Amino acid sequence: MAEALSRISNPSEATFFTLSLPNFVVLDQLETTLHACPEFGELMTQIQQYPTTHSDYTIHRDLIFYKGKIWLNSNNPFTATLFEEYHKTPLGGHIGITKTLHRLQAYFFWKTICQHVQQYVAHCTTCQQMKYETK
């Protein structure tokens, strides 16, 4: 059986195929902000030392998961990036409080997520200019 390279009649017409895999820079940013947070470190040690009292928490790849969702502290600066991605981008589409909240809650957890989403959407200038108030 002939090899594929030996079948190329004109080497200048050869095609080079590559495989491209996504690099999740967002997860790197998330890990950086979490590891700088003292609350994250304290919770991580508590989960490792007392796993029975923290049964809803798991640790995977240096991230804390709460009931299968990535745990964040309430004042994490990374939440601004999440709001940009889940609300402001064309994929997010300024979809309002309820839908933005449901999309975020599918993957992330922090204690004040509802209040943060309400405040963010209430202060979103595009939403305030384009959306009408139903009464």
Side-chain angles (χ1 to χ4, degrees):
M1 191 179 240
E3 295 178 347
L5 291 176
S6 65
R7 292 182 180 214
I8 297 175
S9 59
N10 187 356
S12 63
E13 294 177 9
T15 306
F16 182 68
F17 295 101
T18 61
L19 176 64
S20 176
L21 297 173
N23 183 7
F24 296 106
V25 177
V26 174
L27 286 177
D28 294 338
Q29 292 172 351
L30 172 63
E31 287 179 12
T32 303
T33 60
L34 283 174
H35 290 295
C37 169
E39 186 180 352
F40 176 80
E42 290 173 13
L43 183 59
M44 179 78 84
T45 56
Q46 288 179 4
I47 293 168
Q48 291 170 342
Q49 291 177 353
Y50 310 106
T52 55
T53 59
H54 296 88
S55 59
D56 290 335
Y57 293 91
T58 56
I59 298 172
H60 181 68
R61 294 189 176 185
D62 292 334
L63 292 174
I64 297 174
F65 286 80
Y66 177 76
K67 295 183 179 180
K69 299 169 185 159
I70 297 174
W71 178 91
L72 297 172
N73 56 319
S74 294
N75 57 353
N76 193 311
F78 186 73
T79 57
T81 305
L82 292 176
F83 287 133
E84 288 284 329
E85 288 295 320
Y86 282 81
H87 182 75
K88 280 192 171 182
T89 60
L91 186 61
H94 297 277
I95 53 179
I97 295 170
T98 306
K99 290 181 182 179
T100 303
L101 181 62
H102 286 299
R103 289 184 67 209
L104 280 169
Q105 284 180 329
Y107 303 104
F108 300 96
F109 169 82
W110 67 89
K111 291 180 183 177
T112 57
I113 189 170
C114 295
Q115 293 87 358
H116 282 157
V117 171
Q118 288 173 351
Q119 289 174 357
Y120 187 83
V121 175
H123 291 97
C124 176
T125 56
T126 305
C127 289
Q128 299 312 309
Q129 291 173 353
M130 302 305 287
K131 304 277 177 150
Y132 60 89
E133 186 176 350
T134 57
K135 291 187 178 183

